[in-house]
Amino acid sequence: MLKKTMMILSASALALAACGQKTDTANTADASMATNDTTAFDAGNAGVADTNMTAPATGGQAFANTAAASDAFEIATSKLALDNSSSAAVKKYANQMIAAHTTSTDKLKATTAALTPAITPDPTLTATQQATVDSLKTLKGAAFDAAYISAQQSGHQQTLDALKAYGATGDVPALKTFATGLTPTVAAHLNMAKALKA
């Protein structure tokens, strides 16, 4: 009887999880994103959304994943800016971000491939990043520009903070060097974003 009750409870939990997946995914993803976005590169707290039911990545792998996702986010939002922005300055900035973050991605891949064992960065966007991209897709002109500029400012600030944290306390020397070397570039991008006007 106990075994049957446990099976029914397990089946109910699975059914609820499956039914609630579309409506509750944002809440659960946002919970994991709170860790991933705010302390993305923090060596002690690096969290990654667990999409494959495996243990969350830690240390160097988590840093690489978050760096890759950050680059992917900047590229995706900046490509949208080329189509949806009404500002020549925003489009110029977007082109610079696409070029810079493509270079950063290439450098990250080269750095992680040379590690033993090698690390493969996962560029999957966090739930918060994906929500921002989805929101930007619906905007045009000045409304897009304001939202894009805000996203660039907050995204680059989080990345800058995370790079500094991993550069100071990271567990993989080559990735610490990568983080430290990228810090001035991200700081410059943040200052450029702060100077943009919608």
Side-chain angles (χ1 to χ4, degrees):
M1 181 67 177
L2 180 60
K3 192 172 183 180
K4 187 174 182 181
T5 303
M6 293 300 289
M7 288 177 61
I8 291 171
L9 289 174
S10 296
S12 298
L14 287 173
L16 284 173
C19 290
Q21 208 164 17
K22 290 194 181 208
T23 56
D24 293 336
T25 298
N27 292 339
T28 56
D30 284 346
S32 40
M33 278 311 304
T35 300
N36 202 19
D37 274 354
T38 58
T39 60
F41 291 108
D42 182 341
N45 261 337
V48 177
D50 185 6
T51 58
N52 294 323
M53 301 302 285
T54 57
T58 59
Q61 181 67 63
F63 173 80
N65 291 352
T66 308
S70 175
D71 281 341
F73 174 75
E74 299 301 343
I75 292 168
T77 56
S78 294
K79 284 182 176 178
L80 287 173
L82 299 181
D83 292 329
N84 295 1
S85 175
S86 61
S87 165
V90 166
K91 289 183 179 187
K92 179 181 177 184
Y93 175 85
N95 274 317
Q96 292 172 315
M97 293 308 98
I98 292 167
H101 287 281
T102 299
T103 299
S104 173
T105 296
D106 292 344
K107 189 178 289 187
L108 176 65
K109 287 179 181 177
T111 301
T112 55
L115 297 173
T116 305
I119 290 175
T120 302
D122 180 0
T124 302
L125 298 183
T126 64
T128 300
Q129 289 169 328
Q130 187 61 58
T132 300
V133 170
D134 292 342
S135 175
L136 286 171
K137 286 178 182 176
T138 68
L139 302 174
K140 298 275 188 193
F144 174 89
D145 293 338
Y148 173 75
I149 291 167
S150 176
Q152 291 298 307
Q153 290 174 355
S154 62
H156 279 99
Q157 183 64 62
Q158 288 175 357
T159 300
L160 180 61
D161 294 344
L163 287 170
K164 288 179 178 178
Y166 194 85
T169 63
D171 60 338
V172 179
L175 288 176
K176 285 179 71 172
T177 300
F178 169 84
T180 303
L182 193 58
T183 297
T185 302
V186 173
H189 292 173
L190 175 59
N191 288 334
M192 291 165 63
K194 286 178 176 178
L196 285 174
K197 303 289 182 220

